Amino acid sequence: MKKKLRNKNILLGTWLTLYNNNLTEIIASTNFDWLAIDLEHSSLSFKEAEDMIRIIELYGTFPLVRLTSISSDTIKKVMDIGAKGLIIPNVNSVEDIIQTIKYAHYPKKGIRGVGLARANRHGTNFNKYYNWQKKEVAIIAQIENKSALDTIDEIFSS
């Protein structure tokens, strides 16, 4: 996804707010570039999001997760269940993006701890996952407050 964005390709996707494996599979099979699982404005659980990510990946689609907030616990859990990108709501400053990047990445780039989880195939694929996450995690900022416009250039250059 990041490669396509760098090449200025137009990417199409949609939002998922309901937990239904059949519905997720039908939508994932329609050749969208990305699907966003919305944890902010839905009652979806982490377990349900994990099931949805698994289905989305089966169709070669890029799974994004919109977070509820910038929280270390939420971000590491979402990354561990297999999110390839994070949509960060209500970004107001470059500090919000820097904090998200720290929580989403392992050291040296970040402070995320290592867990044997789905994203790294419970440790059997850790090295490949470690190298992937250094460059390929998509961090998408949602600007929802007029005050953030004062620092918009700084936010998007981080």
Side-chain angles (χ1 to χ4, degrees):
M1 181 171 151
K2 286 178 81 172
K3 183 179 179 181
K4 288 180 179 180
L5 287 172
R6 282 185 207 108
N7 291 332
K8 302 192 187 306
N9 294 12
I10 295 173
L11 303 178
L12 298 176
T14 193
W15 293 80
L16 301 172
T17 59
L18 302 172
Y19 179 65
N20 181 297
N21 287 336
N22 290 326
L23 179 60
T24 301
E25 188 165 5
I26 289 166
I27 294 171
S29 71
T30 60
N31 296 318
F32 280 117
D33 297 295
W34 56 268
L35 291 174
I37 298 165
D38 190 356
L39 295 183
E40 184 183 26
H41 293 290
S42 74
S43 62
L44 293 171
S45 69
F46 289 112
K47 175 65 179 125
E48 291 166 341
E50 181 178 31
D51 292 344
M52 294 166 79
I53 289 168
R54 189 176 290 111
I55 293 166
I56 292 166
E57 287 181 327
L58 284 173
Y59 285 89
T61 304
F62 197 88
L64 298 167
V65 175
R66 178 161 59 173
L67 304 173
T68 57
S69 63
I70 300 169
S71 152
S72 173
D73 290 343
T74 301
I75 292 171
K76 69 182 164 189
K77 195 172 286 195
V78 166
M79 293 302 298
D80 282 348
I81 64 173
K84 300 285 191 261
L86 306 172
I87 301 171
I88 314 305
N90 204 26
V91 171
N92 291 304
S93 68
V94 71
E95 288 79 20
D96 291 340
I97 297 299
I98 291 168
Q99 200 63 47
T100 300
I101 291 168
K102 284 182 181 179
Y103 292 156
H105 292 88
Y106 298 120
K108 298 182 181 180
K109 189 172 186 174
I111 60 171
R112 179 176 162 203
V114 173
L116 304 179
R118 182 184 177 279
N120 60 49
R121 294 191 184 162
H122 306 281
T124 63
N125 202 25
F126 183 79
N127 288 339
K128 184 176 180 183
Y129 180 75
Y130 176 81
N131 290 323
W132 172 87
Q133 63 81 42
K134 285 195 278 187
K135 299 178 199 162
E136 298 302 326
V137 176
I139 307 283
I140 301 167
Q142 276 190 275
I143 306 299
E144 302 180 71
N145 189 313
K146 188 176 179 182
S147 67
L149 296 177
D150 297 334
T151 59
I152 194 85
D153 292 333
E154 192 179 351
I155 290 170
F156 285 103
S157 66
S158 61

